Amino acid sequence: MSYKDVFVLKEPVEPEAPPTVTCPQLGEPRELQSLKMQTVQESPLNLSLALGELLKKDTIKVELIPEKKGLFLKHVEYQVTSERFTVSVYRRYTDFDVFHELLLQRYAYRVVPALPPKRALKGEREFIEGRRRALGRFLNLVARHPVFSEDELVKTFLTFSGSDVQTKLRDACKKLGDEFMTCKYATQAKDYLPADIQSQFSSSRELIKNIHNSFQKLRDRAERMAERSKENATDLLMFGKELSSLGSDESPVPILASCKSPWAALRRSVKGLSVEFSLLSEKAAQQGRREEDDVVEKLNLFLDLLQSYRDLCERHEKGVLHEHQRALQKYGVMKRQILSATVQPKEQVSVEQLESRIVQQENAIQAMELRNYFSLFCLHQESQLIFTYLPITSHILGAFVNSQVQGHKEMGEVWQDLHSKLKSIFGDGNGQSPPLSPK
């Protein structure tokens, strides 16, 4: 029975019954419910999870712990905490590297996010912080993936507290094998694929490429805004310090002609304004951190997922398809050789060897075809995963708007206080009111 036959319902036929007689059992609610359940049977090709369900699977925190010094070199270590498993473990970058390599081996047909680079030539402090963030995004995407989240490799990495996690991971990978060997749908993948799977894949790939390009531009703009907020914080702080320096100048004020200069009193008042500018600087810095943590990080998380999908598409084309084509070419050469051997008689042993090799090659081609269909099966699911994540756009926009509202409100309150203070010092600001006398 084919996959499509499962969904075809046929009315029971009773040849001897008159046309006006119906089957009484069909009218029973229990039977109708049973038939209804058969018609809505879900295909394993379809992902039925919503974004909220994926995000609830787990939340991973990656924190930097103080550097440890070895005999010759110091190394960075991370504390990895999983909400799902309620446990914290310690990992080095090399542990992440091995884990990533094994995930790619086991799940070559899935979106495996890339790792950040191992070393940086300059700006080590900023690089280490950026890498910590990237490792956190990597683990969250892996821990929330509908397939990875239930894998023994992931559980081992997030929970094993022994001294040699890398050996533990390698042993688990050897025991499990790659997904094609363990998935019960691997050899039946072709039966579940739609007839136009290639065109669906092409259109999804093009659309996701355009989405990726647009989100990259959004991320770049968000980074610039966060950077400007930090620069604004620095400028406000320096502005306040200059006012403080100006007001701290104790140089005597000369009496010019008959006018009495108000500067001596004003400079003491100006010095006090540095408090508000210091507070404004702190609020601007908080705004920059909010934009970085709530907006830029969410954009980077989605971009990591989109890039891993594009990497997967390349693996599919350069890996499975390329190997399949090479195998077919090799098979064609062998067939020509066997035809040549029948025309020009050769030793019986060499002909038998060639026939044996052709049989082996046919088996290899059949296995590659099965893998190709399974790769398309997984690609179809991973495309659905990308579209499941797309509503994260509302989360990002919400975080962006909230950060702006909160930032402007907090800074607006300080600016209002500063405005009132200036009014009490300089009057209404139009030059008509005399300055305050020193108290």
Side-chain angles (χ1 to χ4, degrees):
M1 180 181 292
S2 69
Y3 168 72
K4 293 181 179 179
D5 293 335
V6 176
F7 299 91
V8 178
L9 294 178
K10 297 181 180 180
E11 294 289 342
V13 179
E14 299 183 11
E16 296 179 359
T20 56
V21 177
T22 58
C23 180
Q25 286 83 359
L26 275 178
E28 295 180 10
R30 194 175 300 172
E31 293 295 329
L32 290 172
Q33 184 66 22
S34 174
L35 290 174
K36 184 179 178 182
M37 289 177 65
Q38 290 178 24
T39 60
V40 298
Q41 182 180 355
E42 283 290 337
S43 165
L45 184 65
N46 298 328
L47 291 181
S48 57
L49 291 173
L51 176 61
E53 294 173 281
L54 291 176
L55 298 179
K56 286 179 183 177
K57 278 184 172 291
D58 202 353
T59 297
I60 311 293
K61 290 183 180 179
V62 177
E63 300 294 339
L64 196 65
I65 63 174
E67 293 178 344
K68 292 184 177 181
K69 294 185 178 180
L71 293 175
F72 303 103
L73 298 172
K74 58 185 180 181
H75 63 265
V76 177
E77 202 166 17
Y78 303 93
Q79 184 181 39
V80 177
T81 305
S82 164
E83 283 188 7
R84 176 187 176 187
F85 296 109
T86 61
V87 66
S88 293
V89 292
Y90 297 96
R91 299 287 180 256
R92 294 176 59 179
Y93 181 84
T94 52
D95 300 329
F96 281 91
D97 197 24
V98 170
F99 178 51
H100 179 260
E101 177 190 342
L102 296 175
L103 268 181
L104 272 175
Q105 288 179 20
R106 175 150 168 72
Y107 293 106
Y109 311 126
R110 301 284 181 184
V111 286
V112 179
L115 283 182
K118 185 176 182 179
R119 288 191 177 89
L121 298 175
K122 297 291 181 181
E124 185 176 354
R125 187 185 297 271
E126 291 181 4
F127 167 75
I128 290 175
E129 171 59 18
R131 189 172 69 177
R132 180 194 68 80
R133 288 175 179 266
L135 292 173
R137 295 194 302 269
F138 164 76
L139 283 183
N140 275 291
L141 286 173
V142 168
R144 293 166 180 171
H145 191 283
V147 176
F148 302 162
S149 58
E150 305 305 320
D151 194 88
E152 188 65 28
L153 270 178
V154 176
K155 183 179 179 181
T156 299
F157 186 84
L158 295 177
T159 62
F160 181 72
S161 57
S163 59
D164 194 357
V165 67
Q166 295 181 24
T167 301
K168 187 78 173 176
L169 288 169
R170 288 193 175 96
D171 290 344
C173 191
K174 286 178 184 176
K175 189 184 299 182
L176 294 169
D178 79 325
E179 187 186 10
F180 179 79
M181 303 301 294
T182 57
C183 179
K184 63 180 180 180
Y185 302 112
T187 57
Q188 307 163 23
K190 182 181 179 180
D191 299 332
Y192 298 109
L193 294 174
D196 61 341
I197 182 62
Q198 290 293 352
S199 62
Q200 284 192 30
F201 167 56
S202 298
S203 59
S204 295
R205 184 179 186 181
E206 186 62 26
L207 178 57
I208 290 170
K209 174 187 173 184
N210 295 336
I211 292 171
H212 184 232
N213 291 337
S214 294
F215 268 84
Q216 275 187 321
K217 293 174 184 176
L218 289 173
R219 190 271 315 275
D220 292 345
R221 295 295 175 183
E223 280 184 338
R224 290 183 186 181
M225 285 187 276
E227 195 59 38
R228 281 200 297 269
S229 294
K230 293 187 218 173
E231 290 173 356
N232 188 33
T234 302
D235 290 339
L236 286 167
L237 185 62
M238 295 308 298
F239 195 95
K241 285 184 177 180
E242 289 301 327
L243 286 177
S244 179
S245 177
L246 185 65
S248 299
D249 186 1
E250 298 293 339
S251 302
V253 180
I255 299 176
L256 302 176
S258 60
C259 79
K260 185 177 180 182
S261 172
W263 177 242
L266 283 177
R267 68 184 179 187
R268 284 192 291 272
S269 299
V270 165
K271 181 180 179 181
L273 298 177
S274 63
V275 175
E276 279 74 19
F277 279 97
S278 177
L279 186 56
L280 282 169
S281 172
E282 182 182 330
K283 297 296 183 185
Q286 290 174 358
Q287 171 73 1
R289 287 193 292 271
R290 275 195 300 268
E291 290 168 344
E292 205 169 51
D293 296 341
D294 299 340
V295 182
V296 176
E297 267 303 289
K298 285 185 173 68
L299 284 165
N300 278 328
L301 177 80
F302 190 43
L303 281 170
D304 289 349
L305 181 64
L306 291 171
Q307 183 59 54
S308 64
Y309 178 84
R310 297 182 69 176
D311 293 342
L312 172 62
C313 293
E314 287 190 16
R315 284 202 306 274
H316 172 73
E317 289 187 338
K318 294 180 179 178
V320 179
L321 289 183
H322 183 65
E323 289 177 5
H324 190 204
Q325 289 169 358
R326 285 182 60 187
L328 288 174
Q329 289 173 358
K330 186 176 179 181
Y331 178 71
V333 171
M334 289 181 178
K335 291 291 283 184
R336 287 194 295 272
Q337 288 176 346
I338 196 69
L339 287 173
S340 175
T342 57
V343 175
Q344 300 176 3
K346 295 185 178 181
E347 294 182 7
Q348 185 66 23
V349 176
S350 63
V351 173
E352 290 176 355
Q353 288 177 345
L354 192 56
E355 289 176 343
S356 175
R357 287 170 56 196
I358 286 176
V359 171
Q360 291 176 1
Q361 191 65 15
E362 286 174 344
N363 292 335
I365 290 171
Q366 186 179 10
M368 286 179 188
E369 285 178 347
L370 289 174
R371 280 188 175 269
N372 180 45
Y373 286 122
F374 183 64
S375 179
L376 286 169
F377 179 94
C378 294
L379 262 171
H380 193 76
Q381 289 188 329
E382 300 305 283
S383 300
Q384 293 174 65
L385 180 65
I386 299 297
F387 289 109
T388 301
Y389 260 95
L390 267 176
I392 203 172
T393 307
S394 63
H395 297 213
I396 295 167
L397 291 175
F400 174 65
V401 171
N402 289 339
S403 71
Q404 297 302 314
V405 169
Q406 184 177 351
H408 283 84
K409 180 183 177 183
E410 291 178 354
M411 292 190 72
E413 291 172 354
V414 181
W415 281 118
Q416 192 61 46
D417 291 344
L418 185 58
H419 179 266
S420 301
K421 195 170 183 178
L422 285 174
K423 203 170 181 182
S424 68
I425 296 173
F426 297 106
D428 60 4
N430 59 11
Q432 300 300 317
S433 300
L436 287 176
S437 301
K439 293 183 180 179

